[in-house]
Amino acid sequence: MHGSDTVIDWTRPLNGERVMLRLLKLEDSGWISHGTTNRKVTDMTGRIPYPNPPLGAELYVLTCQAAEANRGDRVRAIIRKADGAGMGMIGLHPRKDGAVEFGYWLGEPYWGQGYATEAAKLLLDAADADGIAPIVAGHYADNPASGRVLEKMGFAYTGEVPRAFSSGRLASAPCPRMLRRQG
């Protein structure tokens, strides 16, 4: 990740109109397990297995916290402000090639309501303010809705469509790659 003159306090929540992005807590593992014990969700992620029992979700939270402390990942819980419900997770993950991978998942009850777009805008605006670039992403080819969210956030297809492993599928699937346009 590359910094700029602006300093973002990544420990503070990012607040939008309907959602808040905050640091993960071990206590989040219950709703994370519930939201990701759904093939429609896990099949669209690279790292989340199916099923994802509460102990597995605890390990996932601890792994994300360790990656934040040691590697500079920025992984946040997506919380609905109206009732405090945990809806999903969103993050930025440094890669060895200098790019930063953007990704998210949202529980099925929250699909199609603009929550993913709002959460993505919050995190990517903070990344822009912090000078984080380049930002890349991908989505499984059988998840065009995620591609539309990414396009709204300024990502464009690169033409690369590698096969990427999904822990939920226990298999690889086509994953079109995207690069976020700056400015």
Side-chain angles (χ1 to χ4, degrees):
M1 289 195 238
H2 309 286
S4 69
D5 292 338
T6 304
V7 177
I8 298 296
D9 182 353
W10 287 98
T11 64
R12 298 179 59 94
L14 300 172
N15 283 290
E17 184 179 325
R18 300 179 302 151
V19 303
M20 170 183 62
L21 308 183
R22 63 156 172 76
L23 290 168
L24 291 172
K25 302 175 189 174
L26 197 54
E27 299 81 38
D28 295 332
S29 60
W31 64 259
I32 291 170
S33 172
H34 180 75
T36 57
T37 301
N38 178 338
R39 295 301 298 247
K40 292 178 185 176
V41 174
T42 59
D43 283 4
M44 300 304 157
T45 71
R47 300 178 181 145
I48 303 173
Y50 178 87
N52 192 18
L55 191 57
E58 285 183 18
L59 178 60
Y60 188 64
V61 168
L62 292 171
T63 301
C64 289
Q65 290 172 334
E68 179 123 4
N70 295 306
R71 217 175 54 179
D73 288 41
R74 301 288 182 244
V75 181
R76 299 295 179 266
I78 304 171
I79 305 297
R80 185 168 53 191
K81 291 171 79 171
D83 59 6
M87 299 191 299
M89 294 170 56
I90 192 164
L92 298 165
H93 310 276
R95 297 181 353 170
K96 291 180 183 175
D97 66 1
V100 177
E101 184 85 19
F102 171 75
Y104 70 93
W105 68 266
L106 202 61
E108 187 179 9
Y110 309 107
W111 293 358
Q113 300 172 57
Y115 290 121
T117 300
E118 183 177 343
K121 181 169 178 16
L122 282 171
L123 189 65
L124 292 168
D125 283 353
D128 288 345
D130 210 19
I132 297 171
I135 301 176
V136 298
H139 67 88
Y140 289 102
D142 56 351
N143 186 8
S146 194
R148 288 190 294 276
V149 169
L150 293 168
E151 286 178 315
K152 288 181 203 174
M153 295 299 106
F155 286 87
Y157 289 99
T158 65
E160 299 171 80
V161 187
R163 293 186 66 80
F165 185 77
S166 165
S167 294
R169 299 170 194 241
L170 291 178
S172 294
C175 186
R177 300 300 303 160
M178 303 177 83
L179 174 65
R180 188 156 181 256
R181 297 182 299 264
Q182 295 298 93

